[in-house]
Amino acid sequence: MRQAAHWERRIPIYLIGMFLMTIGVNLSVLSGLGVSPIDTIPYILSLILQKSLGLCSTLVFSVYIVLQILILRRKFQWKNLLQIVISIIFGWFVSISGILTGLLPADPVYPVKFLYMLCSIVFLGTGIFLYVATDILSMPADGVSLALAEVTGKPMSTCKIFFDWSVVALTVILSLTQLHNISGVREGTFIAAFGVGMCIRFWERHLTAPLHRFLFP
């Protein structure tokens, strides 16, 4: 069966996709123009708690797994608890890629910040495309969107938009109440909300067929 074969190809591509996503996360932070919607909660918590972004990403992703259990209840597939492992790996990748992106000039002029933001969108979109193509296990945030779709009967894309912007709204509330400003949500957040999807669609059109031939020969 497709799902049970060729792990030696699928797992490396899955991990590469995750790592590219974390580079995108750190580039969006470095840009200072706002992080992508789904990363706003880990970012704002890292500022409030004064903890690393990698640790906060792991904590938030763990909460997302609990949300899936609460939404799906008996329909929850317990194999999805493996998302805890994915959350830990993702948080570790965030810390490593943060060291790498930390080598780039910090607080540059606006055009360079905008370039950082555009690059973050490309890395996020590419990473998501790669990890989804492997058909292994969804990331915790996407798992919540899938759970909402299953319970409500709405399309996953609709549930993802609802969930992403609910996360952004919660981030704004936390930022205003705890930091007395709005951090992490700027023009880059709104551009990423559309740009990441456009990047994914680009790769779907141009790379899906050859990538699937590689992953599932």
Side-chain angles (χ1 to χ4, degrees):
M1 294 177 61
R2 171 187 258 194
Q3 287 80 5
H6 308 297
W7 293 109
E8 75 284 357
R9 298 188 179 200
R10 294 163 63 194
I11 291 176
I13 296 299
Y14 185 91
L15 295 175
I16 289 171
M18 283 180 57
F19 189 71
L20 291 179
M21 288 173 63
T22 64
I23 293 177
V25 170
N26 279 294
L27 281 174
S28 66
V29 172
L30 188 62
S31 75
L33 300 182
V35 297
S36 62
I38 206 61
D39 298 311
T40 52
I41 290 288
Y43 176 69
I44 201 65
L45 285 181
S46 71
L47 296 181
I48 294 171
L49 302 176
Q50 292 295 299
K51 301 295 183 180
S52 72
L53 181 58
L55 174 61
C56 291
S57 295
T58 299
L59 293 175
V60 171
F61 282 9
S62 298
V63 172
Y64 290 162
I65 297 170
V66 175
L67 276 178
Q68 292 177 54
I69 296 173
L70 294 176
I71 293 170
L72 293 173
R73 299 185 181 182
R74 293 183 179 180
K75 293 182 179 180
F76 180 79
Q77 298 183 22
W78 292 103
K79 68 178 183 179
N80 287 327
L81 285 178
L82 289 173
Q83 291 176 4
I84 296 174
V85 178
I86 300 303
S87 301
I88 294 172
I89 295 174
F90 188 87
W92 184 52
F93 280 177
V94 168
S95 298
I96 294 175
S97 59
I99 295 173
L100 297 177
T101 56
L103 300 175
L104 296 171
D107 197 24
V109 294
Y110 189 88
V112 177
K113 290 182 177 181
F114 198 81
L115 179 61
Y116 286 169
M117 184 267 295
L118 292 179
C119 288
S120 77
I121 289 173
V122 173
F123 275 102
L124 281 167
T126 304
I128 291 171
F129 167 76
L130 290 176
Y131 105 75
V132 169
T134 62
D135 192 24
I136 294 179
L137 189 67
S138 63
M139 297 288 287
D142 293 333
V144 175
S145 299
L146 289 169
L148 289 171
E150 182 170 345
V151 170
T152 63
K154 301 292 184 181
M156 192 272 190
S157 57
T158 300
C159 293
K160 181 169 176 55
I161 292 172
F162 169 78
F163 180 65
D164 283 358
W165 290 111
S166 297
V167 166
V168 171
L170 179 58
T171 298
V172 171
I173 292 172
L174 286 173
S175 187
L176 288 173
T177 57
Q178 301 299 316
L179 301 177
H180 309 294
N181 58 37
I182 297 179
S183 299
V185 179
R186 280 188 56 177
E187 61 268 34
T189 304
F190 298 94
I191 294 173
F194 300 99
V196 172
M198 292 174 62
C199 181
I200 293 172
R201 283 194 293 272
F202 173 83
W203 289 123
E204 285 176 341
R205 288 196 299 267
H206 295 90
L207 198 58
T208 295
L211 181 59
H212 275 220
R213 283 196 298 269
F214 171 76
L215 294 173
F216 310 105

